[in-house]
């Protein structure tokens, strides 16, 4: 539901009564969202469109990338893990969790809303064919929709639907009988201790994660991992920026913003939820499409 330029999400709670009835007034919840693109497939390397209909496994390089991403994220105690149900995303998720110190046995939720954009008749064909189709139609990529494919608006609707589901899920878990206070003893990820501080500092985002900064509480209520696909992720992040007014790191260039994430590129966001009768999400981008973890793999490939 939109009021002016702001986006509000309807709060769906089990049982009767509004959130303010249950908690004695509005409160805040916060979670970190880590979004990772799947590792490389042979079709990625050959610039052949996979979309939803071509379910390729990771290549040897793709498995190395996924492993490197897993090592890079190994100190994050993820509370929720979601993945596209396509094989390349599933294999990437498995590699990430296999390296994790805390959640090797966590249940992964596979969600069709996280699938890559559907490219219809262009799937299994070179990207150059899609560009030729667009040119013949007097259009340009990526706005061109091949026959049988999804429009950008349809992809955005999928991404928005998933994000609203995620916010409602976290809100419902956090809500019952608790206030937005770091001293209430709730079980969350302390963003002022251990790996979380170093992780935030590493990204040099200028985000001070305390209750007196950006309205954020000191404790994260959840740490969410999502593994998805390049075109989908670009559209989803576009929704964050255009609809939810997500601020971006000052160091980010226009080229970096417009680029598709590299394979196993990592983006992270801190999301705070203002919870009254509805949820108002506020998003702060920590990093976008980072690939620091791939430096050794890139060097190895260049040496061959």
């Amino acid at each position: 539901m939109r009021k002016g330029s702001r986006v509000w999400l309807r709060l769906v709670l089990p049982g009767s009564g509004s959130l303010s009835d249950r908690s004695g007034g509005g409160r805040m919840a916060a979670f970190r969202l880590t979004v990772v693109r799947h590792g490389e497939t042979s079709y990625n390397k050959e610039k052949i469109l996979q979309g939803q209909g071509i379910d390729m496994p990771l290549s040897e390089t793709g498995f190395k990338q996924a492993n490197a991403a897993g090592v890079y994220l190994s100190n994050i105690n993820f509370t929720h893990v979601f993945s596209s149900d396509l094989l390349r995303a599933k294999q990437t998720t498995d590699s990430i969790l296999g390296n994790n110190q805390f959640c090797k046995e966590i249940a992964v939720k596979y969600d069709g809303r996280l699938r890559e954009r559907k490219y219809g008749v262009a799937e299994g064909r070179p990207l150059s064919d899609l560009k030729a189709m667009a040119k013949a139609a007097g259009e340009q990529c990526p706005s061109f929709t091949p026959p049988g494919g999804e429009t950008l608006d349809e992809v955005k609707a999928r991404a928005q639907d998933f994000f609203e589901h995620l916010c409602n899920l976290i809100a419902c878990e956090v809500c019952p009988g608790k206030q937005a206070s770091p001293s209430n003893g709730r079980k969350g990820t302390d963003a002022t201790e251990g790996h979380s501080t170093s992780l935030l500092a590493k990204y040099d985002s200028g985000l001070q994660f305390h209750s007196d900064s950006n309205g954020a509480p000191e404790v994260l209520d959840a740490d969410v991992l999502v593994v998805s696909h390049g075109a989908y992720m670009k559209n989803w992040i576009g929704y964050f920026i255009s609809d939810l007014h997500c601020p971006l790191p000052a160091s980010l260039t226009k080229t970096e913003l417009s680029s598709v994430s590299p394979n196993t590129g990592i983006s992270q966001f801190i999301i705070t939820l203002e919870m009254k009768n509805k949820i108002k999400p506020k998003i702060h981008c920590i990093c976008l499409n980072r690939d620091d973890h791939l430096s050794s793999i890139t060097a190895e490939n260049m040496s061959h």
Side-chain angles (χ1 to χ4, degrees):
M1 180 181 297
R2 288 175 172 77
K3 296 184 178 181
S5 61
R6 297 177 296 175
V7 176
W8 295 75
L9 309 182
R10 180 178 297 278
L11 177 60
V12 180
L13 290 172
S16 59
S18 68
L19 178 60
S20 57
D21 291 333
R22 288 166 170 264
S23 63
R27 59 149 299 177
M28 302 286 288
F31 65 97
R32 174 168 44 190
L33 173 64
T34 300
V35 185
V36 183
R37 186 187 176 194
H38 64 80
E40 180 195 86
T41 69
S42 61
Y43 272 30
N44 285 145
K45 186 173 183 180
E46 296 164 11
K47 296 186 177 180
I48 297 174
L49 290 168
Q50 296 167 101
Q52 298 181 12
I54 308 295
D55 204 11
M56 295 290 290
L58 297 182
S59 64
E60 181 180 352
T61 297
F63 277 111
K64 290 179 180 178
Q65 292 171 335
N67 185 69
V71 171
Y72 191 78
L73 298 171
S74 61
N75 289 328
I76 299 182
N77 187 1
F78 292 113
T79 57
H80 304 73
V81 179
F82 296 87
S83 171
S84 158
D85 57 357
L86 296 175
L87 180 59
R88 53 197 184 274
K90 286 183 174 182
Q91 291 177 328
T92 301
T93 303
D94 289 345
S95 291
I96 292 174
L97 296 181
N99 282 281
N100 194 277
Q101 297 183 30
F102 303 102
C103 47
K104 286 183 172 65
E105 303 301 322
I106 192 170
V108 180
K109 296 181 181 178
Y110 299 106
D111 198 314
R113 289 173 293 189
L114 295 171
R115 286 185 174 192
E116 181 59 292
R117 181 184 181 188
K118 185 177 181 181
Y119 286 99
V121 299
E123 291 181 355
R125 297 168 64 175
L127 175 60
S128 57
D129 283 8
L130 179 64
K131 292 180 177 178
M133 290 181 200
K135 185 176 180 180
E139 299 181 39
Q140 291 185 333
C141 292
S143 57
F144 170 71
T145 303
E150 280 184 297
T151 66
L152 292 180
D153 284 344
E154 288 172 332
V155 179
K156 177 181 175 180
R158 273 202 287 128
Q160 181 175 348
D161 188 55
F162 173 79
F163 182 65
E164 292 181 358
H165 164 76
L166 179 60
C167 289
N168 273 305
L169 175 67
I170 302 302
C172 289
E173 290 179 351
V174 170
C175 166
K178 297 190 177 183
Q179 299 295 317
S181 168
S183 60
N184 65 6
R186 71 174 179 267
K187 296 179 181 179
T189 300
D190 192 336
T192 64
E193 295 181 1
H195 77 275
S196 295
T197 299
S198 62
L199 194 63
L200 291 171
K202 181 187 297 183
Y203 297 139
D204 194 27
S205 66
L207 175 64
Q208 299 297 316
F209 205 68
H210 297 282
S211 58
D212 59 352
S213 173
N214 297 318
E218 291 180 346
V219 174
L220 291 173
D221 295 288
D223 239 315
V224 181
L225 171 66
V226 172
V227 180
S228 188
H229 305 263
Y232 178 91
M233 287 169 54
K234 183 179 177 182
N235 204 290
W236 188 12
I237 292 168
Y239 161 67
F240 282 173
I241 296 168
S242 63
D243 290 55
L244 301 183
H245 311 295
C246 172
L248 298 171
S251 59
L252 199 66
T253 67
K254 288 185 177 180
T255 300
E256 289 173 322
L257 177 58
S258 62
S259 299
V260 173
S261 171
N263 289 111
T264 67
I266 298 169
S267 297
Q268 285 194 317
F269 307 87
I270 296 294
I271 298 167
T272 55
L273 304 175
E274 178 184 313
M275 302 194 297
K276 295 181 180 179
N277 291 328
K278 298 180 177 67
I279 305 171
K280 180 186 177 184
K282 182 178 180 181
I283 305 178
H284 188 108
C285 180
I286 299 173
C287 68
L288 196 66
N289 301 337
R290 288 193 73 125
D291 60 356
D292 308 49
H293 55 289
L294 299 179
S295 57
S296 61
I297 298 173
T298 302
E300 178 184 336
N301 289 342
M302 290 178 65
S303 67
H304 289 309

